[in-house]
Amino acid sequence: MRSLDFLSHKPKLAVQNTRHVVMVPPKEFGFNPQTAADNEFQHSSSLTSEKIRERAMSEFQRMVTALRENGVNVMPLDYSPSKMSTPDAVFPNNWFCSLPNGELHLFPMACANRREEVRTDQLTQLLTQHSFHLKNVQDHWLDDAIHESFLESTGVMIFDHQNRELYAGLSQRCDRDLLERFAEQVGYRAITFQTQTQSGTPVYHTNVMMAVGERFAVICDEVIPEFERRYVIKQLAKTKQVISINAEQMAHFCGNILQLENAKGNKLIAMSQSAFDHFSDAQKAQLASHGKLLPFDVSTIESIGGGSVRCMLAEVFAQQQ
């Protein structure tokens, strides 16, 4: 257990968690060979496409129901299939993010079939229907200088809104220049680092190895080189209780969790059943001190899609009118 010095620090900003999330039904869900090139968490299946989608949709619907029962405002973004299939549409947090100042940012993704997921008009219409006021909508893909650069939103950027910092593991899906330009634009400090899995490749998305809540952080620090690891942990420990996980726990999505809050302001921590089962009892007790643990069985989505509960939740911080 890390130092508890964080208890003496007060957050600089009030908002780290939201009770409003966008989720996208897995209508076309399946194994995506384009993303499998650098996503070691994906696994092919002998199940038929129909059976895979049936199971994924069931997992999705159960998760939506449970979140709503716990006071979270879930806004499903329904859509009409495009000419190109979108097997990873269930992971909307990779193409947009909403910031506490009301801005909405759209980001370039590395794989061609993932770019088909971006439905700006439908997203803004959905948020408007729910009385959200969007201060500004910015599409970072429109910058002519970044056509070969990618920044997959909160898949690669872990926001500490209270301290105006964001943590990011560099990879082909997280371009340093684009990241630093974005951080400067929104007034956040970017804390970047390298990662390396046992196979020698970078972790494809930071959010499978790391999560930041209001008063805690979960991180698989063993995949970060030692000279960068010490600095990252030191920064987190200033205001957070740091809970370290190992590579095996990361492989079961213990890093892919998200702290939310409900309509009453009660804290919730969403995670997969796999993550819950692989946290130690001591780690569960630490996490439970920061909110009610909400495990969901998304085993089909995890195994075939290579992403988990946090990837399925796109936070909305804009103000409601």
Side-chain angles (χ1 to χ4, degrees), residues 67-84:
L67 285 168
R68 286 173 170 169
E69 289 175 346
N70 279 275
V72 177
N73 177 27
V74 179
M75 297 171 284
L77 178 60
D78 207 348
Y79 67 96
S80 299
S82 58
K83 293 182 180 179
M84 185 181 294

Side-chain angles (χ1 to χ4, degrees), residues 231-246:
Y231 179 72
V232 171
I233 295 298
K234 180 180 178 181
Q235 289 303 115
L236 289 170
K238 288 180 179 180
T239 57
K240 314 290 180 184
Q241 179 181 26
V242 180
I243 302 170
S244 292
I245 58 174
N246 59 37

